[in-house]
Structures are given as C-alpha cells and as structure tokens.
Amino acid sequence: LGHPAGDAVLQEVALRLRNDLRGVDTVARLGGDEFAIVLPNTDATGAVRVSGKLLVALEPGMQVDGNNLSIDASIGIAAFPEHGDSSDLLLRCADIAMYVAKRTRSRYAAYSSTEDRHTASRLTLVSDLRHALDNDGLELHYQPKIDIHSDRIVGVEALARWRHPVHGFIPPDQFIPLAEQTGLIRPLTHWVLARALAQAAELERQGIILTMAVNLSVRNLQDPDLPGFVQAQLLKWQYPPARLILEITESAVMADSPNATAVVTALHDLGVAISIDDFGTGYSSLGHLRKFPIDEIKIDRSFVMDILAHAESGIIVNAVIGLAHNLGLTVTGEGVENQEILDLLAKLDCDTVQGYHLSRPLPAEALVEHLRRHAKQVAHASVTR
C-alpha cells in the first residue's frame, strides 16, 4: 500500500501501545516494525499481563486509505536482573524471546537460556541461506505431473532444494519459513522462477512441451512488483504464459488481502494459470475462492493418501472434484503413493496426479533422462529455432 500507509500504521500502533501503558513506562520504536517497551518496577509476571493487554489493544482493525487492515504482533520479554544487567543484553534476550513467540505462534514469550543455541544456529542459517542465494547454492528438483486418463506426463512442479555444505540436506519446511520470516522469500522466489523458466525453455528447445508449476508464498502476494518480474522472465525465455502455473496456498486465499487479490489478478491477466495448493487444509469458503481467478485446485496429500483407509476422505475428494469441475477448474491429486490410490482417483475423474508412486522430484539432469525413458508419455512438438 506504499510507505505513507506503512507510516500511518506505525503511528496508530504507537498510539495504542502508549494508551495502554503507565505514565512511568517507556515505549520507543527501534526501527522497521519493532518497538521496545521498558516497564520499571515490574517483574516477568507483570510483563506477561501487560503483553496480553497490548495484544488486545492491537486486535481491532485499522482504517488506512480506505482499507481495513488487521495487525498482529509477537512480543519477547526479558527481565532485569535475571536475564541481563545491561540494556544491550536485555534487548538481545528480548529479541530471542520474540523469535520464540513467532516460531511457536504463542504471541508472547519470556526469555529462556535454552533458546540461545537455537537462535544462534538460526542466525547462522539465515546468513548461509543468503550466501546460497547469492552464489547459486540451491538447486531445483522437478516432480512430474501425469494426466490420469491418458497416462501422459503433462507438466512438472519446481521444488527448491538446499544441500548445506556442513549440515547436509535441509528440508524445505525448514528453510522456506526462515526465508519468509527474514525477507529472503522475495529473492528466493525470483531465483526459483528464473531457474524454472530457463529449464522449461530448454525442454521446449528439445521439443518437449510441459507445464511448469512454481509455488508462491503468501508474502509474495504482497509484492506489487511480482507480476512485472514474471512478465520479464516469460519474455526473456520466450515461454508461453499459459504453460506457467503459479501455486498459492489456501492460507493465502484466506488472508483476504486486497493487495494479494490485485497481485493474483495481475498475474492471471498475463495469461498465467493460478492453482490453489494444499486444498482442504485451510478451511476456505467458496466466497473466498470466488474472489481469485483460479484455474486449478490441488487436493492436499493428507486427503489423497487417506482415501483408502477412511471413507470420509474419499467422500471429500469426490466432492472437491465435482465442485471444481462444475466451476470449470481442473483438479490435481497430490500424494499418490500406490496404484490403488491412482486407480481410485481415476474412478473419481481426477484430472492429473503426482506422487512418489509415479516419480519422486528429480534434479534437472535426471528429469531429462526420465522424460527420455518415458518418451511415449510426453507431449512433443516440432521446434524450429
């Protein structure tokens, strides 16, 4: 919404904090979106009570430039002299506690020395991730996507992988939240998009026609420059927009942000396909889905993997497929782990599937070899350059 709107939010936050503190208390903005509060003659228990009051004070929406914004906060607590005897040490301890509150989603947390090791390793990992992004230290793996009726490979999903030089393989569910919390998600997403489209263009030069799916973070949908970056990459690699699928999670839909809606609409206007990933886990309503220009729904693996063991999961999957088809959307089933699940999804008229039974995510070289071995299953075209 721009810097003036951000300034207005900060001013409103400062006012609400000030109004809920005593005259002897001090509140100051440290920078960015961080505030520090000093509570004289108060112990950790009293600080917890104050934290609860401040969080309640921040709950009501804020009207900024005609937009109703909701603000959340995470609070870290450090007490003198138990946690430190200097301002620098107390601020450091409060900062560590704040990140614990963020990580555990507990909204506030008091400092604990046992978290120091975690915080130090976290800071090191953030630095290492930044270095990996700057020095091409990540790689993409690609998981094939199969048309369930023709048994043809129709696309791939690009998945970021990080093999740390010291710690070895670091799962995406560890480093992607780290990127989201530290602002590295923007360069990470840009790197994934550029690398994935380069690979897709290379496959097309070989006459292999596939869709390329790339995941977006909910934070990417707050970036008004993202559509411009995507358009520039599509032009650079001369890749047809309709064959790029951008996957957003159900939580992004539920956020109901005007900015997110504008970004997704701008991406769709480029001709790019939009997919709702992990469908079924975010409790989304049809009203929320209707606000986004959606082309595909991906049923979460937790339902797909469970359809043989629990009849309720099968009923849900069947209902989602029917709903999606009535809305003119295609459906992908994730987490196909065996032939029985594949056969059942085919009976339920699912469109495309992916999972370990069909193929694990593959490095670029292994993907090309996989496509060659399954040449009869891959769409080809004559390409002249």
Side-chain angles (χ1 to χ4, degrees):
L1 299 179
H3 290 290
D7 291 343
V9 169
L10 291 171
Q11 290 166 5
E12 176 66 18
V13 168
L15 182 63
R16 293 189 187 186
L17 295 178
R18 180 69 268 171
N19 287 343
D20 264 79
L21 294 172
R22 304 169 301 178
V24 296
D25 299 330
T26 300
V27 58
R29 178 166 166 252
L30 293 178
D33 59 354
E34 291 191 349
F35 290 79
I37 296 169
V38 181
L39 305 172
N41 304 316
T42 307
D43 59 13
T45 302
V48 166
R49 284 197 300 270
V50 172
S51 296
K53 287 176 56 182
L54 295 178
L55 290 168
V56 170
L58 293 176
E59 282 180 358
M62 299 180 185
Q63 285 290 332
V64 178
D65 294 338
N67 296 291
N68 187 40
L69 307 179
S70 59
I71 302 298
D72 200 6
S74 300
I75 299 177
I77 300 167
F80 171 89
E82 301 99 292
H83 303 145
D85 57 4
S86 70
S87 58
D88 287 343
L89 184 54
L90 287 169
L91 279 171
R92 176 183 175 277
C93 291
D95 198 49
I96 290 171
M98 181 188 68
Y99 278 108
V100 171
K102 283 180 178 289
R103 191 177 75 251
T104 60
R105 298 184 180 182
S106 53
R107 304 190 77 190
Y108 62 82
Y111 171 78
S112 169
S113 59
T114 59
E115 296 293 340
D116 257 350
R117 182 183 303 171
H118 171 83
T119 302
S121 62
R122 177 187 180 279
L123 292 174
T124 300
L125 210 57
V126 169
S127 176
D128 291 346
L129 179 57
R130 184 176 287 108
H131 183 269
L133 283 169
D134 292 340
N135 295 276
D136 212 21
L138 302 175
E139 61 179 308
L140 284 185
H141 287 195
Y142 303 88
Q143 186 169 39
K145 190 173 176 181
I146 314 296
D147 182 289
I148 201 167
H149 300 298
S150 68
D151 197 33
R152 295 174 71 89
I153 301 173
V154 293
V156 293
E157 179 182 357
L159 301 163
R161 295 292 184 260
W162 184 17
R163 195 163 298 282
H164 193 280
V166 175
H167 304 298
F169 177 74
I170 297 179
D173 60 3
Q174 289 186 22
F175 72 83
I176 289 178
L178 200 65
E180 290 178 324
Q181 294 164 10
T182 57
L184 291 176
I185 194 64
R186 187 174 190 266
L188 174 59
T189 302
H190 284 193
W191 179 86
V192 171
L193 279 164
R195 181 61 61 90
L197 288 175
Q199 181 64 43
E202 175 58 32
L203 290 173
E204 292 220 344
R205 278 192 288 272
Q206 300 177 36
I208 300 172
I209 308 301
L210 298 174
T211 60
M212 177 64 71
V214 174
N215 293 279
L216 296 183
S217 162
V218 63
R219 294 190 179 273
N220 293 135
L221 302 185
Q222 304 302 319
D223 180 6
D225 297 328
L226 180 63
F229 178 83
V230 171
Q231 184 178 38
Q233 290 297 313
L234 290 168
L235 290 172
K236 176 180 178 179
W237 299 109
Q238 293 296 295
Y239 190 68
R243 288 206 276 274
L244 174 62
I245 302 173
L246 296 179
E247 299 186 3
I248 59 178
T249 62
E250 229 181 336
S251 59
V253 176
M254 288 297 291
D256 199 19
S257 161
N259 202 39
T261 305
V263 169
V264 172
T265 301
L267 289 167
H268 198 261
D269 288 346
L270 295 175
V272 170
I274 303 297
S275 175
I276 301 298
D277 197 12
D278 301 334
F279 189 84
T281 61
Y283 310 103
S284 67
S285 69
L286 298 181
H288 282 92
L289 289 178
R290 193 178 54 187
K291 295 180 181 179
F292 282 80
I294 300 167
D295 302 281
E296 178 191 56
I297 285 176
K298 297 187 76 174
I299 304 175
D300 186 68
R301 66 183 65 248
S302 62
F303 290 104
V304 172
M305 294 172 66
D306 211 29
I307 58 176
L308 294 176
H310 296 93
E312 294 85 354
S313 292
I315 293 170
I316 291 171
V317 170
N318 186 38
V320 169
I321 292 173
L323 169 66
H325 286 168
N326 286 332
L327 292 173
L329 310 177
T330 59
V331 183
T332 293
E334 297 185 281
V336 176
E337 301 296 309
N338 55 55
Q339 187 64 39
E340 290 79 12
I341 292 177
L342 182 62
D343 292 341
L344 183 52
L345 286 176
K347 289 180 181 178
L348 295 177
D349 201 26
C350 190
D351 299 300
T352 54
V353 287
Q354 58 188 107
Y356 284 3
H357 176 64
L358 303 162
S359 174
R360 290 177 175 270
L362 303 167
E365 300 80 5
L367 172 69
V368 173
E369 181 59 32
H370 179 83
L371 295 175
R372 286 173 180 162
R373 288 199 309 270
H374 299 81
K376 293 182 180 180
Q377 290 179 266
V378 183
H380 286 74
S382 296
V383 178
T384 304
R385 295 284 178 181

